Amino acid sequence: MKTKSTNLFTFISSSLAVISCFIATSMPISLMAIWTKELNMSSAQLAVTMLSYFSGCIVSLLFLAKLSNAIGRKKAVLCALVCAFISTSFFIDCTDVFYLNAGRFIQGIYCGIITGSAMSWAVDSAPSGKEWLGTAMSVAGASLGLMLGSLIAGIGVNFNLITGDRLFEIFLGFTLFLAIMICLSKESLKTEFSLKKLFTVLIPTFKLPRGKFAFFIMAAIGYIGSWGQTSFFQALSSKIALLMFNDENNVVLLTALIYLTVTLPNAAGGFAVGGLNPVKSLKIIMPLTFVIGSIMFLTIAFPHIVIFFITLTTLSFLIGAGLSLLLKILLTGSAVTERADIISFLYFMAYVGSAIPNLLIGKVFTNASFIQISFGFIGWIFLYTALVFILNLYLSKPKR
């Protein structure tokens, strides 16, 4: 029988595993401005680094999504921390684009395992009476980590308080500390290991609770669309910073500021709607997302700093709220053994879909201007928000 204190410690440990994972993945985004200059990287090469990360996530979510079902949540998270240690090592004294892409790819493997194990673990171990915290952590924890990583790297490196290499060295130490916490946490999915079971979970499968398929389609569209537009900032925040401010001396800080504006309101939105009715709320959030998102991308096409930050803040909050509500709908009524499959496949779809814009920018429309890219994203936002809005209306109708 698990005690409340033990459960709380486990929730904190699993939540830290989620948050720290995304701290790790966001630090290279802020430092990309430095690598862009040192390695003379083009916009296409920057997009490819994002694709390397997405590729690692996709491989991991496809083949390692249910790893925790075979070895337990605890051991799966420890495997993820090994990937964290290896990937972080690639960024220390990085002098070649190859090492940068290799580090981002392994970082994607790390993130994929965390998605299937630590996020499910957080849902399993959420404090009694506040079960919504587990769902919120699965969405907002990622945004919180992205925010902290970009803020730490942006301020620290821009003001010469710390070097990028030292940041990654500190993270290596924190990874070892977190591994100890994970070892002391309580397993929520006890399972007897066997090679047969391991090989079985490594085979990609997709299984949803009865009656959840249509809701999964709606959630997948929302995640693909939302992640697609936010991935634009992961790859090109440094370029946007130069476009908006034309200040090369503080580009690292300005890059972090822009990404902070993406991630902090996103995390706040995920937690803010925890107790709301998801069906009713989505009917308001989806139209607002399209309107505010369109205005935001217009301020990139035709630069206006003040309106850009106002609309980006609002849009990020709406995205975090929408993702949290969609996941809440999807996880309602799910069993412990089903959560890894549900969350992992949802995030798999999100990574695959969100890689599309970066693939187009990095490999097809390599010479596209910011104006062309911005109008393309306005069309992207309209498509996914309209589909989620219509599906939500249809699925919420009383069944005859």
Side-chain angles (χ1 to χ4, degrees):
M1 181 177 179
K2 58 185 180 182
T3 64
K4 188 175 182 180
S5 60
T6 302
N7 194 55
L8 180 60
F9 180 81
T10 301
F11 178 73
I12 292 172
S13 300
S14 57
S15 297
L16 280 177
V18 174
I19 294 170
S20 63
C21 171
F22 290 93
I23 288 176
T25 61
S26 64
M27 286 196 297
I29 296 172
S30 293
L31 298 175
M32 203 63 73
I34 293 177
W35 287 321
T36 299
K37 185 176 180 180
E38 291 180 349
L39 304 179
N40 195 28
M41 298 174 66
S42 65
S43 295
Q45 286 177 310
L46 286 170
V48 170
T49 64
M50 197 66 243
L51 283 176
S52 298
Y53 169 68
F54 281 155
S55 298
C57 290
I58 289 169
V59 169
S60 183
L61 289 170
L62 190 60
F63 297 103
L64 302 174
K66 297 177 294 181
L67 180 63
S68 63
N69 286 355
I71 64 176
R73 308 285 200 225
K74 183 185 296 188
K75 291 178 182 177
V77 172
L78 289 174
C79 288
L81 294 182
V82 171
C83 292
F85 201 92
I86 295 172
S87 62
T88 302
S89 300
F90 274 99
F91 299 124
I92 299 175
D93 193 25
C94 184
T95 56
D96 192 281
V97 176
F98 171 79
Y99 297 115
L100 185 59
N101 287 328
R104 289 295 273 168
F105 177 80
I106 299 173
Q107 212 169 48
I109 299 289
Y110 164 39
C111 185
I113 299 176
I114 287 293
T115 299
S117 54
M119 287 186 179
S120 299
W121 203 5
V123 174
D124 298 344
S125 59
S128 178
K130 297 182 179 179
E131 287 77 9
W132 63 269
L133 275 173
T135 302
M137 182 55 66
S138 297
V139 175
S143 298
L144 186 60
L146 291 170
M147 178 270 293
L148 289 173
S150 58
L151 185 63
I152 292 168
I155 293 178
V157 176
N158 189 83
F159 292 109
N160 296 317
L161 301 174
I162 193 171
T163 65
D165 288 348
R166 181 55 57 87
L167 270 179
F168 292 119
E169 289 168 358
I170 291 173
F171 186 79
L172 289 180
F174 177 77
T175 300
L176 294 176
F177 170 75
L178 182 57
I180 296 173
M181 287 189 67
I182 295 300
C183 289
L184 296 175
S185 297
K186 186 176 181 64
E187 178 62 70
S188 65
L189 182 60
K190 295 182 179 180
T191 179
E192 292 185 7
F193 176 80
S194 69
L195 286 177
K196 181 179 180 181
K197 182 181 292 185
L198 178 62
F199 289 135
T200 299
V201 300
L202 293 180
I203 298 173
T205 59
F206 173 48
K207 184 171 62 178
L208 287 172
R210 185 182 299 275
K212 287 290 184 179
F213 182 76
F215 292 100
F216 178 84
I217 296 298
M218 179 177 69
I221 292 172
Y223 270 68
I224 289 170
S226 298
W227 282 39
Q229 68 188 79
T230 54
S231 70
F232 167 80
F233 292 96
Q234 289 194 36
L236 298 174
S237 285
S238 59
K239 295 286 185 179
I240 298 172
L242 287 173
L243 176 71
M244 289 286 178
F245 296 96
N246 194 28
D247 183 359
E248 293 189 3
N249 294 327
N250 295 297
V251 66
V252 176
L253 178 62
L254 294 172
T255 298
L257 176 62
I258 290 175
Y259 204 62
L260 178 66
T261 311
V262 174
T263 54
L264 179 56
N266 191 289
F271 283 110
V273 299
L276 297 182
N277 182 303
V279 173
K280 293 181 179 178
S281 300
L282 286 172
K283 294 176 182 178
I284 300 173
I285 288 173
M286 286 300 111
L288 280 177
T289 299
F290 168 66
V291 173
I292 300 299
S294 298
I295 296 173
M296 188 276 296
F297 274 105
L298 285 175
T299 64
I300 295 177
F302 309 100
H304 193 293
I305 295 175
V306 175
I307 299 178
F308 168 73
F309 277 104
I310 291 174
T311 53
L312 181 58
T313 301
T314 307
L315 175 64
S316 300
F317 182 90
L318 291 171
I319 288 175
L323 294 179
S324 183
L325 293 170
L326 286 168
L327 186 59
K328 184 177 181 179
I329 290 175
L330 198 55
L331 289 181
T332 299
S334 64
V336 173
T337 55
E338 295 171 330
R339 289 168 187 163
D341 218 3
I342 293 172
I343 294 175
S344 297
F345 201 80
L346 179 61
Y347 274 70
F348 169 76
M349 295 296 293
Y351 278 116
V352 170
S354 61
I356 294 173
N358 283 288
L359 180 62
L360 293 175
I361 295 171
K363 295 296 184 180
V364 182
F365 303 109
T366 55
N367 296 317
S369 66
F370 264 85
I371 293 178
Q372 293 170 322
I373 292 173
S374 297
F375 277 100
F377 271 101
I378 290 174
W380 175 275
I381 298 173
F382 172 76
L383 183 62
Y384 91 80
T385 55
L387 288 172
V388 172
F389 182 80
I390 293 170
L391 282 171
N392 185 49
L393 284 179
Y394 174 76
L395 294 174
S396 63
K397 287 182 179 180
K399 299 294 186 293
R400 294 182 180 179

